[in-house]
Amino acid sequence: MENFIYQKYNYRGKFTPNNLVFNANLQEFAARVSYICDLHTSGKITTEDSYKQIDDFWKQLEDSYLKLVIDPEI
């Protein structure tokens, strides 16, 4: 069931452990944003709550990018 809800796709870029970890974080971010949008569209959460949650997840993703020292040239 978890694979159905949280689908993961294979990493296709140049392999480094940091790139692989960031790719997993990026996929999780995308899944969470999708769920937040669905909840907002159905009226379950407000626009402000949606924005705050997405902003928080974005900051976490940005923090992981900076900590993992991803090379933008790769």
Side-chain angles (χ1 to χ4, degrees), residues 6 27-37 54 57 60:
Y6 299 107
Q27 288 187 44
E28 183 179 355
F29 171 78
R32 288 180 173 195
V33 168
S34 178
Y35 291 128
I36 291 168
C37 291
I54 291 171
F57 290 137
Q60 290 174 12

Side-chain angles (χ1 to χ4, degrees), residues 2-20:
E2 187 171 312
N3 287 337
F4 178 74
I5 295 173
Y6 299 107
Q7 295 181 9
K8 299 285 184 186
Y9 297 95
N10 293 333
Y11 179 66
R12 297 182 185 264
K14 182 173 180 177
F15 177 80
T16 67
N18 289 355
N19 287 350
L20 186 64

Side-chain angles (χ1 to χ4, degrees), residues 53-71:
Q53 288 182 32
I54 291 171
D55 189 48
D56 290 344
F57 290 137
W58 176 257
K59 288 175 184 173
Q60 290 174 12
L61 182 65
E62 188 175 37
D63 188 47
S64 78
Y65 179 84
L66 295 172
K67 285 181 181 175
L68 290 169
V69 189
I70 305 298
D71 183 2

Side-chain angles (χ1 to χ4, degrees), residues 22-58:
F22 181 72
N23 181 263
N25 293 343
L26 184 61
Q27 288 187 44
E28 183 179 355
F29 171 78
R32 288 180 173 195
V33 168
S34 178
Y35 291 128
I36 291 168
C37 291
D38 292 343
L39 289 170
H40 179 262
T41 300
S42 66
K44 304 290 183 187
I45 59 176
T46 66
T47 301
E48 293 79 19
D49 288 341
S50 302
Y51 177 82
K52 179 161 179 13
Q53 288 182 32
I54 291 171
D55 189 48
D56 290 344
F57 290 137
W58 176 257

